[in-house]
Amino acid sequence: MRRKFIAGNWKMNKTIEEAKELAEEIKTELNEIDKVDIALFPPFTALYPVYEVIKDSNIALGAQNMWYESKGAYTGETSPAFIVDIGCKYIIIGHSERRKYFNETDELINRKIKTALEWKLTPIVCLGETLEQREKGETQKVIEHQFNHGFMDLDSVQASRTTIAYEPIWAIGTGQTATPEIAEQIHKFIRGLVQKEYGSQTADNFQILYGGSVKPENIDGLIQELDIDGALVGGASLNPKSFIDIVKKTSGG
Ligand code: PEP
């Protein structure tokens, strides 16, 4: 039985004090949730302060990005060693904003996934199509390409330690969520790709999250779908009440 997972991607928001306050509020309200995995992804500057708030709780910490080498002359970059050192369990890799604004390619994403796994981090690998690609009927082709190249040379043990977030780009930050039916169709397709490459056991246990304007008003429908195992939440994770409601609804209450 796959566990549900709700992850809050704070993107480039929250000063240290604001981040600590948000994490405190979330921790207090969600401390009894045990049916759902919960993780917060603050900006780098707030990772350690947030770690101090949630370290003995049921909430895990994650980072939004990392480099694929562990040390060296990479000015401005962050090593997986530092991310582990600071207390992170998860790492978001290949978010569409990084693909778009920082030219991240599937090849780079593949290197990052491999390094993250070497450091025992759980990568949350983001896949998703643009509106133009969807309208041209290319969604599955795009997702398959991102999957095949992103997961290149990973074996089934490595794949089983990885999570995918299906995030249609046209639904991110736009308020335009994919309907549960549209999201489920692609989640099922992704699970099929995992099965083809890694077998039924890996596919059955593989967590696939949905991301794209998830809020308390639409989580119920999404979470009821067979292949949707939770959500990567952006905008709504910055508001404590919204994020708390999303987790509680996912937990069935
Ligand atoms: C995201 O940042 O991954 C995301 C899905 O954002 P939003 O929920 O704001 O659409």
Side-chain angles (χ1 to χ4, degrees), residues 29-55:
E29 282 293 324
L30 297 181
N31 68 346
E32 286 185 353
I33 301 282
D34 58 6
K35 282 199 225 124
V36 180
D37 295 332
I38 309 164
L40 303 179
F41 294 76
F44 277 108
T45 45
L47 275 176
Y48 195 66
V50 169
Y51 170 76
E52 287 284 306
V53 174
I54 62 177
K55 63 183 172 194

Side-chain angles (χ1 to χ4, degrees), residues 139 175 182 202 214 219:
T139 300
I182 289 178
T202 305
V214 171
I219 188 67

Side-chain angles (χ1 to χ4, degrees), residues 9 11 95 97 126 167 171-175 211-214 232-236:
N9 175 16
K11 310 196 188 192
H95 192 281
E97 286 152 15
C126 301
E167 299 209 307
I172 298 181
T174 59
S213 298
V214 171
L232 179 53
V233 186

Side-chain angles (χ1 to χ4, degrees), residues 15-39:
T15 61
I16 290 173
E17 281 314 309
E18 290 167 347
K20 278 170 31 183
E21 203 178 308
L22 178 55
E24 278 289 0
E25 216 168 322
I26 289 170
K27 181 178 85 163
T28 307
E29 282 293 324
L30 297 181
N31 68 346
E32 286 185 353
I33 301 282
D34 58 6
K35 282 199 225 124
V36 180
D37 295 332
I38 309 164

